[in-house]
Amino acid sequence: MAVLLLADVNDGALATDAVAKALSAVKGLGEVHILVAGTSAAAAAEAAKLDGAAKVLHADDAAYDHGMAEATAALIVSLAGGYSHIAAAATAFSKNVLPRAAALLDVMVISDVTAVVDADTFERPIYAGNAIQTVKSSDAKKVLTVRTASFNAAATSGSAAVEKVSATADASLSKWVEDKVAASDRPELTSAGIVVSGGRGVGSQSDFALIEKLADKLGAAVGASRAAVDSGYAPNDWQVGQTGKVVAPTLYVAVGISGAIQHLAGMKDSKVIVAINKDEEAPIFQVADYGLVADLFNAVPEMIEKL
Amino acid sequence: MKVLVPVKRVIDYNVKVRVKADGSGVDLANVKMSMNPFDEIAVEEAIRLKEKGIATEVVVVSIGVKQAQETLRTALAMGADRAILIEATADVHTDIEPLAVAKLLAGVVKEEAPGLVLCGKQAIDNDMNATGQMLSALLGWSQATFASELAIEGDTAKVTREVDGGLQTIAVKMPAIVTVDLRLNEPRYASLPNIMKAKAKPLAAKTPADYGVDVAPRLSVVKTVEPAGRKAGVKVGSIDELIAKLKDEAGVI
């Protein structure tokens, strides 16, 4: 059977990394058709380049341009007939849409899949990653979101056909008003090779600039612990952890982060973890490959200077 | 306008989770349980709507074991008016799946006719992040997930949502389902007099049969394991040593 993969499109651009990783996760389940919803022909063309996509379905209608759940879920349901699996990267967009589509299909959603065992069986973290559960679905169709940090991105050397699908969107339930997305030249948090994160120890919003400076020196994305976000030092979309984003970069630098369970849930699959903290008892040192017990206000400027 | 708030009894967020030896799940026997933190935020928001004169009544509902009435009493002590307990299992280790929960809640919505349902965005036990969206689908209502701001203006709810790149604002037609994120508010603590008063507030007991819903799970647990542990590495003495290790040993910069 075939897989319908819902693509993330942000402001007309395909979230290539997320879609490419979700594609890797599901391509063993059958022929993959990528669904691009919205008016962006560029996003559909970009999706067509992903290796392993058999075709791209482009629902070219402005009603889908802002990823509204009601219209997008209805679109998925209208296409669901030919598919055994409906999947997407586990992003804010698909976590909004796929459970709605699943309920309309009278099936359960399987969220944050970290491994595909077979067509019915999947691994996923529960309790903030403190346990990994293998579940087997008895539903006729499987609807799942895929945790991108667990999979490598598919290459972009393909050339699948783009097929238009007719769309009948009812936009009466909800209306998009505006997006407030911070423009940044830094890499995107969930796909960056290096992430530098600050915690409560950073102490203030103005001192968080130090974390950003180190990140820029390393060409890294900036992250933050929930404590730092709750204290107003950093915006919420920088949050790494159970209630924020899950990242698995090659290098994760945790500065002034104690290492609460909920933060570890978002970064413990990083390849190399560095912790800088003045409290040598901080739990972050139990997962760090390299730990430096030091005052971050001395250590970070020194590191910026010496890199 | 009546506001309905579903609340879930979950393991307290401070408790260290232990996987059961037989791999069937996480050990919940004799473990401290609390209201799901996101649901607390939903209860708080509903009470604030009542204090502003927008909501007229706050009804809380919990689905699960009989002991969930403690969770409901907590919500009543915070300021909810009335509670419904749907006893769907006698076993604390049985988690009723979001799809079944949504079907039961759809039954409650049909009886209670609220103008707004406020849910936590996810429960910190199964981390599924699905119930609100599923309920919205079953009712054919509009949905606004991951809310960090909520303003109700007539028959429209203006909701600011936490999305991946920042914030998104949408306007949804009422009645609506809104799922709440961490930054919406800071829940209050119940005062002792209110805890006492909550004991006298009405709590109705129901069963899934009352709503004609089959709660049999669609997902069966094959096994549950502890995640692969990560070993502590080495402590370095200086930034120079750290940079050298990252360059030469790890090869990551």
Side-chain angles (χ1 to χ4, degrees):
Chain A
M1 282 290 270
V3 182
L4 183 67
L5 179 64
L6 175 67
D8 274 63
V9 180
N10 300 319
D11 201 16
L14 186 77
T16 308
D17 183 75
V19 181
K21 286 173 175 166
L23 176 56
S24 292
V26 299
K27 68 182 176 203
L29 295 168
E31 188 177 297
V32 180
H33 299 171
I34 301 180
L35 172 62
V36 174
T39 52
S40 174
E46 180 75 11
K49 290 185 201 157
L50 292 173
D51 260 356
K55 66 178 166 187
V56 171
L57 304 178
H58 185 200
D60 185 356
D61 188 312
Y64 306 120
D65 273 348
H66 299 289
M68 305 303 280
E70 298 85 349
T72 313
L75 171 68
I76 291 168
V77 172
S78 74
L79 296 170
Y83 297 97
S84 58
H85 294 77
I86 297 165
T91 56
F93 162 66
S94 69
K95 286 180 172 182
N96 186 33
V97 172
L98 281 200
R100 186 178 180 100
L104 293 172
L105 295 165
D106 192 28
V107 302
M108 256 302 282
V109 67
I110 308 163
S111 307
D112 283 312
V113 166
T114 50
V116 176
V117 179
D118 61 36
D120 307 316
T121 315
F122 307 90
E123 282 181 21
R124 59 181 300 271
I126 54 173
Y127 292 88
N130 284 298
I132 309 293
Q133 198 152 61
T134 306
V135 292
K136 187 174 163 74
S137 166
S138 60
D139 282 322
K141 277 184 206 304
K142 325 296 175 201
V143 177
L144 58 141
T145 63
V146 172
R147 186 169 276 194
T148 54
S150 304
F151 300 93
N152 294 319
T156 52
S157 54
S159 57
V162 177
E163 204 176 275
K164 295 254 172 161
V165 290
S166 62
T168 45
D170 173 12
S172 65
L173 283 174
S174 59
K175 275 206 309 269
W176 173 80
V177 178
E178 63 172 344
D179 286 338
K180 275 191 199 149
V181 174
S184 167
D185 295 333
R186 298 196 184 100
E188 204 259 317
L189 188 54
T190 53
S191 57
I194 303 179
V195 173
V196 179
S197 287
R200 201 200 306 268
V202 178
S204 71
Q205 190 180 7
S206 55
D207 284 331
F208 218 84
L210 199 57
I211 304 298
E212 297 179 55
K213 223 166 144 184
L214 177 59
D216 290 341
K217 191 84 188 188
L218 287 162
V222 183
S225 70
R226 179 171 152 190
V229 171
D230 284 349
S231 306
Y233 306 166
N236 187 58
D237 52 297
W238 290 2
Q239 190 190 144
V240 172
Q242 179 188 20
T243 56
K245 295 192 173 71
V246 178
V247 302
T250 310
L251 173 61
Y252 188 89
V253 184
V255 182
I257 291 177
S258 64
I261 290 170
Q262 87 89 23
H263 184 74
L264 302 183
M267 45 66 81
K268 66 184 168 50
D269 293 327
S270 305
K271 187 162 166 261
V272 174
I273 297 174
V274 169
I276 300 174
N277 200 304
K278 66 181 175 192
D279 173 13
E280 63 177 316
E281 302 296 320
I284 190 78
F285 288 120
Q286 290 163 21
V287 300
D289 299 282
Y290 303 109
L292 177 64
V293 180
D295 185 336
L296 70 95
F297 294 103
N298 298 325
V300 174
E302 186 186 343
M303 191 166 177
I304 293 166
E305 189 197 313
K306 289 182 172 165
L307 276 167
Chain B
M1 178 182 70
K2 195 189 281 185
V3 180
L4 185 73
V5 186
V7 294
K8 187 174 186 183
R9 178 180 186 264
V10 298
I11 195 166
D12 186 86
Y13 71 99
N14 282 316
V15 171
K16 170 126 180 62
V17 168
R18 283 181 207 289
V19 172
K20 284 201 285 181
D22 65 1
S24 62
V26 160
D27 193 358
L28 297 175
N30 306 313
V31 168
K32 186 183 178 202
M33 305 294 279
S34 299
M35 191 190 302
N36 178 41
F38 290 101
D39 301 348
E40 267 187 300
I41 295 170
V43 172
E44 174 65 33
E45 195 65 16
I47 295 166
R48 288 187 191 185
L49 287 174
K50 193 179 169 195
E51 288 166 349
K52 283 184 208 154
I54 296 169
T56 50
E57 188 184 25
V58 176
V59 180
V60 287
V61 52
S62 193
I63 295 163
V65 290
K66 191 162 53 189
Q67 295 89 316
Q69 57 179 274
E70 295 158 19
T71 312
L72 290 168
R73 292 287 175 206
T74 304
L76 294 171
M78 286 172 73
D81 298 296
R82 186 155 68 77
I84 302 166
L85 171 68
I86 305 177
E87 199 181 328
T89 174
D91 176 6
V92 293
H93 289 104
T94 300
D95 188 37
I96 309 298
E97 286 177 351
L99 181 61
V101 168
K103 287 178 179 181
L104 290 167
L105 291 175
V108 175
V109 166
K110 271 168 202 147
E111 275 183 13
E112 296 284 342
L116 175 69
V117 181
L118 282 168
C119 308
K121 76 161 180 179
Q122 76 189 63
I124 60 162
D125 50 4
N126 65 34
D127 279 334
M128 204 60 103
N129 190 336
T131 299
Q133 297 90 313
M134 291 188 140
L135 175 60
S136 179
L138 297 177
L139 295 169
W141 286 12
S142 44
Q143 76 181 46
T145 50
F146 324 145
S148 62
E149 272 179 61
L150 169 65
I152 292 170
E153 295 151 5
D155 64 349
T156 304
K158 200 169 165 196
V159 181
T160 301
R161 308 177 53 231
E162 305 267 7
V163 295
D164 286 339
L167 298 170
Q168 179 184 63
T169 304
I170 62 173
V172 297
K173 203 172 118 184
M174 305 279 274
I177 312 286
V178 176
T179 81
V180 307
D181 216 319
L182 286 172
R183 294 197 302 169
L184 183 63
N185 61 48
E186 218 162 286
R188 69 193 66 191
Y189 290 102
S191 66
L192 190 59
N194 285 343
I195 292 170
M196 298 313 288
K197 266 191 249 165
K199 290 182 179 162
K201 287 183 178 177
L203 191 156
K206 301 272 192 177
T207 66
D210 294 333
Y211 302 95
V213 173
D214 175 10
V215 298
R218 306 293 184 85
L219 305 177
S220 58
V221 175
V222 178
K223 62 174 176 178
T224 311
V225 296
E226 303 257 2
R230 215 183 152 104
K231 285 197 193 82
V234 295
K235 291 260 171 72
V236 294
S238 68
I239 285 291
D240 289 320
E241 194 187 338
L242 175 62
I243 292 174
K245 293 262 191 202
L246 290 176
K247 277 191 174 147
D248 307 330
E249 193 175 274
V252 290
I253 56 170

